[in-house]
Amino acid sequence: MLKIKWTEKKLSLIFLTAFSIIISFLIIYINCSTNFNSWVDVYYYLAYSLKFAGFNGGYDSYLTPLSPLIPFLNSLVFRMGFIGEDSIFIITGLFYILGVISSYFLFKLRFNNLISTLGAILFACFYIILHETGNGGFDVPSICLCILAMYLIMGKMKNTKYFYLGFVFLALGFLAKFTSMLMILVVFIYFLSKEDIRENFKLYFKKVFFGMIAFVLTTLPYFIYLWYNKLPIAFLGYAEAMGLGLKGDLYNHYLYYIIRIPYIIYEPHLKLAKFLIILVLLGCVIAIYKFISNLKNKKEINEYDNDKSEKNVKNNDKNNNTKIDKIKINNTKINKTKNFKNKNYKIKNKFPIFLLVLSSVLIISSFLLTYVLAWKYTVFLFFIAIILFSYGLNKIQSKSKHINYNITMFAWFFIYLIFFTTRITKVDRYFIAFLPPVIFICIYFINIFSEELNSFKTWLLKSILFNKSKKLIKIKKAISSINFNKLVPLLIIILFLISPVTYFSIDKHDSTVDNVKDTVVWLKIHDPNYKEKVIISDRPFYSFYLNKNILFMYRKGDSKNMSDFLKNENATYYITFNSRHIDDYNLIKQFGKVCIFEFGG
């Protein structure tokens, strides 16, 4: 029999795979068996799927700006004859498994096995991910593909096959949701912030160039589809218009995604979210204190080295009495050289600090200017600032192995924060686009906090109290056996593993969906020739359920204007969520909020 070596990595992967499969299955099962209100956009995606499958799903003018990957995958199921909303719930739900496992590998590039597992569990159990998984939306599939892409690009650069595959997955992430295009900037920052960028610029340029070719080739079929059907590249106009228009108050503009963090983490149980945030803030304070202390220590070490070299010269003078005159001459030259070098050191040491201060101001400014400028200008300003910041940081902490990784994650977070802060419409699900770097920030500072607890434990065990008191020997042994580097992450993992139980207890049933489906069944019985009639609605549900082109129109204006519009379109039926009277149209049936008006001439 073959003996399997059960390493920590294998055990973590088996556990994460099993956990993500179970959670994914439960979410898909609940969503498919419950009439829950996924949100209106999903029915546009279903109509897009019908169009890819060769059916008339209607709403053509609304479909062009939509990302094509999920509707295309769903259309393959439709082509096999399984037409229903369940298929899109299953497809989007399965990406959850990919995201959990990929997040483990992405964090493993930076952290040990336990902290990486913690990061994957946080991704799996954050409320926003559980809520948006398997509901037909694009956000979770897109971020899962982007996580896998960044792992392959950052972790497999020496393996050309997997490295370029990362750009393929990045392209698929873009096709899953167009906002993932910004990940290209994150990739550029990853390479430009490398400490050896000057020495290996040609190598990195070559790799990124061929990677972008792989990206373009992957997206090419979609653009051929647009060209063949004479459709515009609508997402470019959408991106151009992003953020234009009246903005809300400054508080909601700048702080929306900051104040929503506890709800993003776990809205059903905010105490759990606040507990995690407190640990992260403690780790952040410790990290800032250590960084400032390191800068001071470097200055003291430099001064100490200069003093030490002068003492060594004096000792040499005493031991070599026969060569005093020569040594004095040499000492004068050495001291001049040392003074010159010391001055140069101070100049070089100040310049990186100046860059850090300047770039920090520019980074903050890029965020504050989102209320004034379009996102492309603020993101460009941030791009320049983060490159300057990385240069300064590499000069100060040249021996650190993880500066490049840390800066890349920070850039990922800030680029999307700027982008979605600029957007007028703000919703929690947009947070998913920069959730991985948020989780990175969490586990980074949790790791620092747990290490500091271990340091405090060591100091406590060496204290006079424990060394002299015989009564406290047992307590000393108990404390010495605690490893906070493992205890703290394990505690958080256990708490978040329990959290999905609360989520699954939430009743997701929505009577509005029942009303919509009842309306469709009733209309088919009431008018078997409904496919030959003109139907207008203020919701996109009915085009999918009736499998015909339904004109779309929100109810605006007074009764007469509405009546004139409907008659001009020769509309027989108008299905709306508004029960107000319409001239020449009779309310013939109502299910809850859903009303059916029929032309009564």
Side-chain angles (χ1 to χ4, degrees):
M1 293 179 67
L2 294 172
K3 291 185 178 180
I4 301 173
K5 293 182 179 179
W6 295 102
T7 61
E8 287 185 354
K9 183 178 179 180
K10 286 181 180 179
L11 289 171
S12 294
L13 282 174
I14 291 170
F15 171 74
L16 290 172
T17 303
F19 178 77
S20 59
I21 289 173
I22 293 169
I23 298 297
S24 176
F25 172 79
L26 289 173
I27 291 174
I28 291 170
Y29 174 77
I30 292 170
N31 290 354
C32 289
S33 59
T34 306
N35 282 339
F36 82 105
N37 193 357
S38 54
W39 41 290
V40 172
D41 288 0
V42 172
Y43 289 88
Y44 290 127
Y45 308 156
L46 291 168
Y48 207 4
S49 301
L50 287 172
K51 186 175 182 180
F52 277 132
F55 301 99
N56 183 11
Y59 304 115
D60 288 350
S61 61
Y62 293 91
L63 302 183
T64 305
L66 298 178
S67 306
L69 181 64
I70 301 304
F72 174 74
L73 294 175
N74 195 42
S75 71
L76 300 179
V77 180
F78 284 3
R79 286 179 181 274
M80 292 186 287
F82 302 100
I83 298 177
E85 61 264 65
D86 289 354
S87 58
I88 202 168
F89 298 155
I90 294 169
I91 290 169
T92 54
L94 292 175
F95 277 94
Y96 173 84
I97 303 168
L98 176 68
V100 174
I101 297 170
S102 298
S103 61
Y104 167 80
F105 282 111
L106 179 63
F107 297 133
K108 192 72 170 64
L109 297 175
R110 171 65 174 81
F111 301 101
N112 61 36
N113 182 74
L114 183 59
I115 296 295
S116 303
T117 304
L118 170 61
I121 291 296
L122 292 180
F123 178 84
C125 297
F126 268 19
Y127 175 75
I128 192 62
I129 292 292
L130 293 172
H131 185 265
E132 295 297 324
T133 293
N135 70 348
F138 295 165
D139 299 273
V140 171
S142 177
I143 196 60
C144 293
L145 289 166
C146 288
I147 292 171
L148 178 58
M150 290 306 295
Y151 162 68
L152 293 173
I153 292 170
M154 295 169 68
K156 298 292 181 181
M157 197 161 60
K158 293 181 180 179
N159 191 324
T160 305
K161 179 175 65 175
Y162 289 109
F163 175 78
Y164 292 130
L165 188 61
F167 284 88
V168 173
F169 280 111
L170 193 63
L172 292 175
F174 161 72
L175 293 175
K177 190 174 177 67
F178 289 139
T179 52
S180 296
M181 172 70 83
L182 290 172
M183 290 302 299
I184 293 175
L185 286 179
V186 179
V187 172
F188 289 166
I189 289 170
Y190 169 70
F191 285 99
L192 291 173
S193 63
K194 280 184 170 290
E195 188 182 5
D196 60 347
I197 182 65
R198 287 185 176 182
E199 296 83 357
N200 296 309
F201 180 80
K202 288 183 178 180
L203 173 64
Y204 295 149
F205 179 83
K206 179 181 175 182
K207 283 187 170 292
V208 172
F209 177 77
F210 285 110
M212 290 308 300
I213 289 177
F215 182 97
V216 171
L217 290 175
T218 306
T219 58
L220 192 59
Y222 171 66
F223 291 105
I224 292 174
Y225 166 80
L226 293 179
W227 172 79
Y228 181 78
N229 291 281
K230 298 180 181 180
L231 297 172
I233 306 176
F235 71 86
L236 293 178
Y238 169 78
E240 185 68 24
M242 176 72 80
L244 299 180
L246 296 174
K247 295 181 174 67
D249 60 89
L250 290 172
Y251 179 77
N252 286 327
H253 177 78
Y254 287 119
L255 298 179
Y256 177 84
Y257 291 107
I258 305 300
I259 62 178
R260 292 298 297 173
I261 286 177
Y263 302 90
I264 297 297
I265 293 174
Y266 208 71
E267 186 173 348
H269 195 64
L270 289 176
K271 289 182 180 179
L272 177 62
K274 290 175 182 178
F275 171 71
L276 182 69
I277 291 170
I278 289 170
L279 292 184
V280 171
L281 290 176
L282 288 172
C284 182
V285 171
I286 293 167
I288 292 170
Y289 173 77
K290 283 188 172 183
F291 181 76
I292 295 171
S293 298
N294 286 338
L295 289 179
K296 290 181 179 179
N297 290 336
K298 282 192 175 186
K299 185 178 179 182
E300 291 173 1
I301 290 169
N302 183 55
E303 293 173 355
Y304 172 77
D305 288 341
N306 290 334
D307 293 339
K308 189 176 179 181
S309 61
E310 289 175 3
K311 288 179 181 179
N312 287 337
V313 171
K314 289 179 181 179
N315 290 333
N316 288 335
D317 288 345
K318 291 179 182 179
N319 296 331
N320 299 287
N321 293 324
T322 56
K323 299 179 180 180
I324 290 176
D325 293 334
K326 291 182 180 180
I327 289 174
K328 282 182 179 180
I329 294 169
N330 289 336
N331 285 344
T332 304
K333 292 179 180 179
I334 289 169
N335 287 332
K336 286 180 179 180
T337 304
K338 287 184 179 296
N339 289 332
F340 176 74
K341 286 182 178 179
N342 190 41
K343 287 177 183 178
N344 282 344
Y345 176 83
K346 286 181 180 179
I347 292 169
K348 288 180 181 179
N349 195 37
K350 286 180 180 179
F351 182 67
I353 293 174
F354 168 76
L355 275 183
L356 288 179
V357 174
L358 174 64
S359 57
S360 298
V361 172
L362 291 176
I363 288 170
I364 295 170
S365 300
S366 67
F367 178 67
L368 296 178
L369 289 172
T370 55
Y371 197 80
V372 181
L373 300 176
W375 68 270
K376 56 187 177 182
Y377 300 115
T378 50
V379 167
F380 177 75
L381 177 62
F382 170 77
F383 183 82
I384 299 300
I386 198 66
I387 298 303
L388 293 175
F389 186 86
S390 66
Y391 179 82
L393 199 60
N394 277 322
K395 288 294 181 183
I396 291 176
Q397 295 186 345
S398 57
K399 293 182 181 180
S400 179
K401 297 179 181 179
H402 303 298
I403 289 178
N404 183 222
Y405 184 99
N406 297 348
I407 288 175
T408 302
M409 283 294 182
F410 176 74
W412 185 347
F413 168 77
F414 221 80
I415 284 173
Y416 276 99
L417 180 64
I418 290 172
F419 181 76
F420 285 117
T421 299
T422 305
R423 178 163 183 159
I424 300 166
T425 305
K426 294 178 175 65
V427 292
D428 288 355
R429 62 184 176 85
Y430 293 159
F431 205 102
I432 294 174
F434 50 103
L435 189 61
V438 170
I439 293 173
F440 160 76
I441 292 169
C442 290
I443 61 177
Y444 177 81
F445 289 121
I446 287 170
N447 191 41
I448 289 175
F449 174 72
S450 57
E451 286 177 351
E452 193 62 24
L453 284 181
N454 265 350
S455 299
F456 177 74
K457 181 193 75 173
T458 303
W459 172 83
L460 194 63
L461 292 173
K462 291 180 179 179
S463 65
I464 299 172
L465 174 67
F466 282 110
N467 284 331
K468 292 187 175 182
S469 177
K470 294 180 180 180
K471 296 179 180 179
L472 297 175
I473 292 176
K474 290 183 179 180
I475 298 176
K476 182 177 179 180
K477 287 181 179 179
I479 293 175
S480 62
S481 64
I482 298 173
N483 185 351
F484 289 101
N485 283 337
K486 292 183 177 180
L487 181 63
V488 174
L490 282 173
L491 175 63
I492 300 171
I493 286 173
I494 292 168
L495 290 174
F496 274 90
L497 284 176
I498 299 170
S499 64
V501 176
T502 310
Y503 172 75
F504 289 128
S505 65
I506 297 172
D507 184 12
K508 301 175 75 173
H509 180 267
D510 189 344
S511 59
T512 304
V513 180
D514 296 334
N515 298 333
V516 169
K517 292 183 177 181
D518 290 340
T519 301
V520 171
V521 172
W522 184 88
L523 185 60
K524 287 180 178 180
I525 297 171
H526 173 74
D527 188 351
N529 296 320
Y530 69 92
K531 285 197 175 183
E532 298 174 5
K533 307 292 177 63
V534 176
I535 302 174
I536 297 178
S537 175
D538 60 356
R539 295 291 190 275
F541 311 122
Y542 308 101
S543 180
F544 176 73
Y545 288 128
L546 293 172
N547 195 19
K548 75 180 299 293
N549 188 16
I550 307 291
L551 298 179
F552 180 73
M553 182 197 68
Y554 277 118
R555 181 163 182 171
K556 296 179 181 178
D558 57 23
S559 174
K560 187 178 184 308
N561 290 335
M562 283 293 302
S563 177
D564 291 342
F565 175 83
L566 293 171
K567 284 188 286 187
N568 287 337
E569 296 292 336
N570 295 318
T572 303
Y573 299 104
Y574 178 56
I575 308 174
T576 177
F577 275 59
N578 194 326
S579 61
R580 284 190 305 167
H581 171 72
I582 303 174
D583 291 349
D584 301 323
Y585 280 82
N586 301 318
L587 178 60
I588 58 172
K589 193 67 177 177
Q590 183 170 354
F591 294 94
K593 296 179 181 179
V594 183
C595 303
I596 306 175
F597 287 87
E598 184 178 19
F599 179 66

